[in-house]
Amino acid sequence: MPVLRRIALLGNPALRTPAQAVPFPLPDEVGALIDDMIATMREADGVGIAAPQVYQSLAIFVVAPRPNPRYPDAVEEPPIVAINPEILERSPEMEMGWEGCLSIPGLRGEVPRHRRILARYQDADGAHVVREFVDFPARIFQHEDDHLRGVVFLDRMENLRGLAFEGEYARRVANG
Ligand code: NI
């Protein structure tokens, strides 16, 4: 059974430490960690989570868009587990969009991201995957990839006027 992990909050050095590459075959405890990350993300209504957020300095994250109370408009896609990821190409086209983070609870910020990326990563079996991501999944991928480098969405914001508490965001932005 997966176990819910404690989530590191902004200010904790775990969020600012670059993650280490993961060896294959995957050690059993890393397989369990991935199951725990997915359970922890779902419990917190997240659409992604990175290992440093649960105090594991490993290059692993999950991208799992799904409608939930925090992201009602998300399109549902099966969770992608990305291990040792690398973004190979980034579209010149950028898009502004609202992001939250389980490590920065209660806040939303407007963040510019590349609209389209080409990424390479290993899945939980160690297979190498090259895949394109567009729009919201691309945004999540870039957000989670940043976590592996000790970067959070606040660092990517160009203007802190685009920062809002979730309640204000819901009233003014999400509901027009
Ligand atoms: Ni985050």
Side-chain angles (χ1 to χ4, degrees):
M1 279 290 286
V3 175
L4 297 179
R5 304 269 183 137
R6 205 154 52 88
I7 296 175
L9 298 179
L10 185 68
N12 194 293
L15 295 174
R16 295 305 195 176
T17 307
Q20 306 291 306
V22 178
F24 278 92
L26 221 53
D28 287 348
E29 65 269 23
V30 176
L33 166 67
I34 291 168
D35 293 342
D36 292 353
M37 285 169 59
I38 293 172
T40 303
M41 175 194 70
R42 295 276 195 232
E43 176 73 14
D45 288 328
V47 290
I49 193 168
Q53 292 185 274
V54 293
Y55 298 90
Q56 302 299 311
S57 189
L58 294 170
I60 304 172
F61 60 73
V62 178
V63 173
R66 181 195 222 189
N68 66 42
R70 289 180 69 241
Y71 295 93
D73 300 328
V75 175
E76 176 143 14
E77 290 190 15
I80 289 159
V81 177
I83 303 174
N84 302 326
E86 186 188 353
I87 297 177
L88 302 173
E89 293 174 23
R90 296 166 170 87
S91 69
E93 190 188 352
M94 306 291 287
E95 208 164 56
M96 292 298 280
W98 289 89
E99 296 184 18
C101 182
L102 298 180
S103 295
I104 309 172
L107 287 174
R108 290 298 171 101
E110 235 181 338
V111 186
R113 298 284 185 189
H114 299 276
R115 194 170 92 76
R116 186 183 292 268
I117 57 167
L118 185 70
R120 174 168 61 199
Y121 54 91
Q122 285 173 275
D123 67 17
D125 299 320
H128 291 268
V129 179
V130 174
R131 201 181 140 164
E132 186 181 63
F133 294 86
V134 184
D135 295 332
F136 193 50
R139 175 171 297 279
I140 301 172
F141 198 103
Q142 291 168 80
H143 176 120
E144 302 307 334
D145 191 63
D146 273 353
H147 275 304
L148 304 187
R149 277 153 257 283
V151 172
V152 299
F153 80 79
L154 300 173
D155 306 329
R156 297 286 188 193
M157 291 183 66
E158 290 169 346
N159 189 341
L160 289 177
R161 287 172 179 258
L163 196 60
F165 284 105
E166 272 179 348
E168 294 296 329
Y169 162 80
R171 263 199 295 279
R172 290 156 193 251
V173 183
N175 303 325

